[in-house]
Amino acid sequence: MGLESPWDKEKECWKANPLLTFRICIQQGLQSIFQLSNGIQCLDRSDLAIIIYNDGSGILAGNNLNKISKIMSLLKKESPLRAKLEARVDRLHSPRN
């Protein structure tokens, strides 16, 4: 699931706040795995993972759509993020039992 940050034309900046997104994810039990020098944060909870970009956008992934929906609802309630279903054909999928 993609997280899109809307652009504020008047202020010429992204509306989403990456720190707020990070804090919401931490409150939901995700743990910071690593941070890149350009501000990209990677968090994981074994059933969910998220990458938060420095403009507040990101990518949320997991195997349980209900858990993804719950986090998405919290994020959308607290910030101006928009959800976008990511159909990725450039990614390998592992077989499921």
Side-chain angles (χ1 to χ4, degrees):
M1 183 77 65
L3 306 171
E4 290 186 338
S5 177
W7 179 254
D8 188 331
K9 291 179 184 177
E10 292 177 14
K11 295 180 182 177
E12 295 187 356
C13 65
W14 299 106
K15 291 183 180 181
N17 181 337
L19 183 58
L20 177 61
T21 302
F22 178 82
R23 287 182 180 160
I24 291 169
C25 290
I26 292 292
Q27 290 172 352
Q28 295 305 305
L30 283 99
Q31 296 180 351
S32 181
I33 303 301
F34 60 88
Q35 178 178 351
L36 301 176
S37 60
N38 58 0
I40 294 174
Q41 299 269 350
C42 298
L43 296 93
D44 183 75
R45 189 178 76 183
S46 77
D47 62 339
L48 290 171
I50 187 169
I51 297 172
I52 304 169
Y53 299 108
N54 56 6
D55 65 354
S57 66
I59 298 173
L60 178 64
N63 291 329
N64 187 318
L65 191 55
N66 291 330
K67 291 179 180 181
I68 292 173
S69 296
K70 180 183 175 187
I71 296 248
M72 286 302 305
S73 295
L74 290 170
L75 290 171
K76 287 170 51 178
K77 186 168 94 172
E78 298 294 327
S79 71
L81 289 169
R82 295 184 296 229
K84 177 183 165 191
L85 187 59
E86 291 279 317
R88 305 283 302 258
V89 295
D90 61 340
R91 196 177 114 190
L92 295 174
H93 297 276
S94 61
R96 305 272 184 225
N97 291 335

